[in-house]
Amino acid sequence: VQLVESGGGVVQPGGSLRLSCAASGFTFVDYVIGWFRQAPGKEREGISCQASRDGTTYLRTSVQGRFTVSSDKPKNTHYLQMDSLKAEDTAVYYCAAQARRTCPPVVSGPQKYDYWGQGTQVTVSS
């Protein structure tokens, strides 16, 4: 399994970015895709989870209304659309995958996922 993130960069507060996570090598019937972020000196925290079976999506409370998750199944690519970005959104963003039917709680931490991308830096600064 390989996950490759892209789309990070520097953006002003209030701006938008769309991160992509290209997945390959999946042999799972059902899986979930999680997005995480890790700011300097902080623990990696879950942002979202989407189940492949039915598209059920969960978002961390602090990003609800600003971030959305989507998937393009034919392209095996998953997206994190981030709008109204704030300075506190600055972090390295990761996508992760796990073979399971339903999402673990978004706040349950990275230990629920076995497969990870390399991360992409998002910096929100004026």
Side-chain angles (χ1 to χ4, degrees):
V1 174
Q2 186 176 22
L3 302 171
V4 179
E5 300 99 335
S6 61
V10 179
V11 63
Q12 292 186 343
S16 298
L17 281 175
R18 188 178 78 160
L19 305 184
S20 300
C21 173
S24 61
F26 276 30
T27 58
F28 319 128
V29 173
D30 295 317
Y31 60 90
V32 299
I33 296 291
W35 284 95
F36 288 76
R37 65 185 179 187
Q38 188 165 19
K42 294 188 176 181
E43 294 185 351
R44 192 170 298 188
E45 66 176 16
I47 300 170
S48 70
C49 180
Q50 185 174 60
S52 67
R53 170 173 282 264
D54 58 7
T56 301
T57 302
Y58 301 91
L59 284 167
R60 191 179 190 90
T61 301
S62 62
V63 304
Q64 289 179 6
R66 300 190 299 122
F67 291 11
T68 56
V69 173
S70 61
S71 294
D72 185 334
K73 283 193 172 181
K75 292 184 178 180
N76 289 325
T77 302
H78 307 271
Y79 303 98
L80 178 66
Q81 176 68 41
M82 305 185 295
D83 300 318
S84 302
L85 283 162
K86 306 175 182 180
E88 52 262 43
D89 295 317
T90 295
V92 178
Y93 284 70
Y94 300 88
C95 64
Q98 182 61 25
R100 54 183 293 160
R101 183 174 295 187
T102 59
C103 284
V106 172
V107 297
S108 62
Q111 67 274 10
K112 297 291 187 182
Y113 292 80
D114 287 339
Y115 306 100
W116 291 84
Q118 82 287 355
T120 186
Q121 176 70 47
V122 171
T123 301
V124 184
S125 174
S126 56

